[in-house]
Amino acid sequence: MNSGISNSIGISKNIGILGAGQLGRMLALAGYPLGNRFTFLDTTGNPSAGIGEVIVDPDNQRLAEFLDKVDVVTYEFEHLPVELVKQIEQHKPVYPGSRAIAVCQNRVEEKALFDRLSIPTPAYRVVESAEQLEAAAAELGCPVVAKSVTEGYDGKGQAVLKAPEQAREAWEAIGHRQLIVEAFVDFVREVSMIAVRGRDGEVVFYPMAENQHVDGILRYSVAPLPDLDASVQQTADSYMRALLDELDYVGVLALELFQTRDGGLLANEMAPRVHNSGHWTMDGAVTSQFENHLRAVQGLPLGSTEAIAPTCMVNVIGREGDNAALLALGHAHLHRYDKQERPGRKLAHVNVVAANHAELIEKVRACLALIPDAPPVAWSFSN
Ligand code: AMP
């Protein structure tokens, strides 16, 4: 049968990944069972994937060699030069495409896209001087959050202003030419959506996850949510579909949102790649976000996104936990990234799976006792 032949060709592809960190590593781990091979292009000089073939290319000399080896290109990091991605698109298919990268690496473009698609966001202004920042803070009403338009992630390049008079200090601390200033949202919880679009336009959605950040860095994600109104999930799904279709997107897209007291959702930011808040899917969903991303970029059928059980993803940051004791818990799946310990560095995550949410809370507590510097969980539904 023709379709069988094309599928078997699709499945033996060599996947090129721009970036060679833990997200690339987990993509490869999901792709080997599909018969994929992996070639990474690392421009940092400091790859950590520890798997597949890694081309270390800090001086941008080895792109042709990388392109020769791969059938299709994807990435695990969106802060790539758009020109580089466009150049690669001349030679090999790149999913998601350069337009998605251009939008997601620039907060002004991202907000403009949300506005165009009628996806609500916190009230915001774009400013280009300390004076404009002060005026925007006064107009929006403090507190406000100022964020660099480019290069921000994990809460970097951001400052909260409690009063407009803090504008100059914040402007200098962030040190960028253009900032987005947002009203500070009094959210009930932070949530995220992970959705996948195939090359044929098929879209699948994972259940919404609740995320707990500390100092701008994700610590815990839990899904599915026990108290989620079906209409809220549907609204989030409709936002995702609008974004995916508008960008003619292929692969996994992550969208972080704030849920407000009235049940409304405000979009914060999106990432055109597999996402930390989707790591729970490795053990808690029928098909992981990593496998589904690989299926999408190869034009293969997408797998079920259904949750198997309530799951909590616990990030291990800076220092490793007592790994033998974690494994002895029996309900904790440890995913280590084979990295050296360093303050603030994501080293591993643990997926804790339980039969119900009450049990999950207890099991997560036992897990956190074995992880250094783990902040207390504060889920919206456990109070
Ligand atoms: P971001 O890099 O935009 O995801 O911001 C990092 C974290 O800062 C978010 O996950 C929130 O915890 C917090 N944050 C960002 N923007 C806002 C906002 N407008 N209101 C309240 N908290 C925010």
Side-chain angles (χ1 to χ4, degrees):
M1 247 174 31
N2 278 344
S3 63
I5 291 166
S6 70
N7 277 351
S8 65
I9 290 169
I11 241 164
S12 59
K13 283 198 165 96
N14 191 333
I15 314 278
I17 300 186
L18 305 174
Q22 72 265 18
L23 298 178
R25 174 188 178 86
M26 290 185 274
L27 280 167
L29 289 168
Y32 287 132
L34 295 175
N36 290 138
R37 282 166 289 125
F38 290 86
T39 305
F40 295 90
L41 186 70
D42 169 78
T43 54
T44 66
N46 191 19
S48 67
I51 197 169
E53 182 179 2
V54 182
I55 297 180
V56 181
D57 187 24
D59 305 320
N60 300 316
Q61 301 293 318
R62 302 181 64 188
L63 182 61
E65 185 191 335
F66 170 76
L67 291 176
D68 267 354
K69 290 176 189 277
V70 303
D71 299 301
V72 58
V73 176
T74 188
Y75 42 89
E76 55 131 53
F77 182 64
E78 66 272 31
H79 296 287
L80 295 160
V82 177
E83 285 314 313
L84 170 72
V85 180
K86 284 189 176 158
Q87 192 188 337
I88 295 175
E89 279 173 336
Q90 305 293 317
H91 303 277
K92 292 283 156 82
V94 181
Y95 300 118
S98 55
R99 183 153 167 246
I101 285 230
V103 171
C104 295
Q105 68 180 216
N106 182 303
R107 289 188 193 269
V108 173
E109 293 212 21
E110 194 175 69
K111 288 275 201 287
L113 179 63
F114 292 149
D115 290 347
R116 211 161 56 240
L117 298 174
S118 303
I119 298 173
T121 67
Y124 73 95
R125 301 282 182 277
V126 181
V127 299
E128 296 185 348
S129 68
E131 292 71 33
Q132 288 181 5
L133 174 56
E134 184 168 353
E139 198 189 337
L140 292 169
C142 280
V144 293
V145 191
K147 304 177 179 179
S148 65
V149 166
T150 55
E151 290 159 39
Y153 65 96
D154 278 353
K156 292 188 177 70
Q158 297 193 10
V160 176
L161 281 72
K162 297 209 169 66
E165 297 73 50
Q166 294 176 337
R168 180 149 300 279
E169 192 189 332
W171 177 263
E172 280 165 14
I174 296 173
H176 274 247
R177 283 183 298 120
Q178 200 181 39
L179 308 182
I180 284 256
V181 194
E182 292 174 12
F184 195 88
V185 180
D186 180 22
F187 52 78
V188 180
R189 58 185 170 196
E190 291 190 71
V191 295
S192 62
M193 281 295 301
I194 308 282
V196 199
R197 187 168 181 270
R199 276 172 29 182
D200 60 357
E202 180 194 2
V203 176
V204 290
F205 308 94
Y206 285 94
M208 185 183 279
E210 174 169 339
N211 302 320
Q212 190 181 333
H213 293 86
V214 177
D215 297 329
I217 301 183
L218 184 67
R219 298 305 303 225
Y220 311 121
S221 290
V222 60
L225 299 175
D227 59 346
L228 188 68
D229 199 295
S231 70
V232 176
Q233 176 82 46
Q234 278 161 16
T235 301
D237 290 357
S238 73
Y239 295 163
M240 293 305 278
R241 186 179 289 280
L243 289 164
L244 291 163
D245 287 345
E246 167 65 23
L247 294 169
D248 195 16
Y249 195 95
V250 174
V252 163
L253 178 71
L255 174 66
E256 296 187 66
L257 308 117
F258 301 116
Q259 191 175 358
T260 54
R261 281 178 205 290
D262 60 2
L265 294 170
L266 299 175
N268 177 24
E269 62 176 4
M270 53 183 181
R273 53 171 167 80
V274 287
H275 193 255
N276 197 169
S277 71
H279 290 2
W280 69 271
T281 62
M282 295 170 91
D283 300 292
V286 175
T287 316
S288 78
Q289 63 164 346
F290 300 98
E291 181 176 339
N292 257 338
H293 184 74
L294 294 170
R295 290 184 184 216
V297 303
Q298 294 176 87
L300 297 169
L302 303 179
S304 165
T305 50
E306 215 176 300
I308 301 168
T311 304
C312 178
M313 189 286 311
V314 174
N315 265 342
V316 179
I317 299 177
R319 287 192 291 151
E320 295 238 30
D322 184 340
N323 289 327
L326 280 166
L327 294 174
L329 292 174
H331 52 253
H333 298 274
L334 178 60
H335 301 268
R336 297 180 65 223
Y337 310 153
D338 196 13
K339 286 181 172 178
Q340 296 294 316
E341 294 185 336
R342 196 197 300 150
R345 196 175 200 202
K346 290 177 181 169
L347 301 173
H349 69 270
V350 184
N351 282 337
V352 181
V353 182
N356 56 56
H357 287 85
E359 194 183 301
L360 186 63
I361 290 167
E362 289 313 310
K363 288 181 165 179
V364 168
R365 222 167 256 151
C367 169
L368 297 193
L370 302 168
I371 294 178
D373 314 316
V377 280
W379 295 333
S380 59
F381 55 86
S382 65
N383 301 322

